[in-house]
Amino acid sequence: MSDIATRYRTRADIFAAKIAAVEPGRWSDPSPCEEWTARDVVGHIIDMHAVMLRPLGRSLSPAPSVAQDPLAAFTAARADVEALLDDPATAERKVETPTGNVSVEQHIDQVVSADMVLHGWDLSRATGQDDTIDPAEVEAMWPHVQYIPDEMRIPGAFGPGVVVLGPEVEVPDDAPLQHRLLGLFGRDPNWSA
C-alpha cells in the first residue's frame, strides 16, 4: 500500500470516528463553514469523494444519503475512493484537475484526503467534540499553507458557487501552530456557534 493510500485511510478513520460521535440532535448545528451545518460538512466531504471519481468517468456507488445516514454515506464514498487507491494502474493514471495534470492518487491526497483534516476540525467544532488536529498533520501542512495563492480565496474562481477558502483570519504570531494554521485556512480558531 502506498504512503498516500495509508495516509488517506488514517484520515478517513479519524473522520469516520468524528461522524460516529455526533449526537443525533446535533446534525443541524452550525459549523465554522459559513452557511453549513454539521451535516453539510459531511455532505461536502462526500461530494469531494465524487469529484475524485469524475475524471475517470465514474460516480459514487448507491448508498444512503447524508440526510438518511451520514456515516453510511461516508463509508460508501470512502470505499469507492479506496478502490481507486488499491488498484496501482488506476492510482498512477494521470488525470486533468484544476491544478494541472496529476495522478489519481496525488489528486486524492491533495484534495479530499487533506480536506478531511480541516473539515474534521469543522465537524468537531460544530458538534462539541475534541477539535485537536494531530500535531503531525499540523506540522506537515504548515509549510504549504503559508503560500496559498490569492485565487484560492476568490469565491467562484474554480467554478460557479465554489468557495475554496475564506479570507485569512488574523491570529497572533505566538498562538499555537494549530490556531495559526486555521487562520491561514480562513478559520477563526476560537469560533463558536
Side-chain angles (χ1 to χ4, degrees):
M1 188 182 308
S2 73
D3 289 346
I4 288 175
T6 299
R7 184 165 43 248
Y8 171 85
R9 281 180 166 81
T10 299
R11 290 169 170 173
D13 286 346
I14 292 167
F15 196 76
K18 292 177 184 300
I19 295 171
V22 175
E23 297 169 11
R26 300 211 61 175
W27 283 110
S28 295
D29 286 5
S31 82
C33 300
E34 195 173 321
E35 300 179 16
W36 283 2
T37 64
R39 189 181 308 275
D40 294 330
V41 171
V42 177
H44 168 73
I45 289 295
I46 292 166
D47 290 345
M48 293 311 295
H49 278 71
V51 169
M52 300 300 99
L53 300 170
R54 223 171 274 149
L56 298 168
R58 300 182 190 182
S59 56
L60 293 174
S61 299
S65 71
V66 71
Q68 296 167 318
D69 187 337
L71 183 56
F74 173 73
T75 300
R78 173 186 182 173
D80 288 335
V81 166
E82 286 178 347
L84 302 180
L85 294 170
D86 291 344
D87 176 6
T90 302
E92 294 168 10
R93 182 174 162 188
K94 297 288 187 185
V95 292
E96 192 59 41
T97 74
T99 58
N101 198 340
V102 298
S103 69
V104 168
E105 68 176 359
Q106 288 172 320
H107 193 211
I108 291 167
D109 196 44
Q110 294 168 2
V111 179
V112 76
S113 185
D115 238 17
M116 287 189 289
V117 177
L118 183 60
H119 288 303
W121 181 84
D122 295 325
L123 182 60
S124 295
R125 198 73 176 183
T127 59
Q129 300 182 50
D130 178 4
D131 63 6
T132 304
I133 299 171
D134 179 340
E137 290 278 20
V138 173
E139 289 282 344
M141 295 172 103
W142 179 246
H144 307 288
V145 76
Q146 295 177 70
Y147 303 103
I148 294 173
D150 288 339
E151 62 266 15
M152 297 283 282
R153 298 187 190 280
I154 300 170
F158 291 92
V162 176
V163 177
V164 179
L165 295 173
E168 181 179 340
V169 174
E170 293 293 325
V171 176
D173 291 340
D174 62 350
L177 189 58
Q178 175 175 311
H179 288 199
R180 289 181 281 151
L181 179 84
L182 290 166
L184 287 175
F185 273 125
R187 303 294 197 279
D188 177 354
N190 298 309
W191 180 91
S192 63

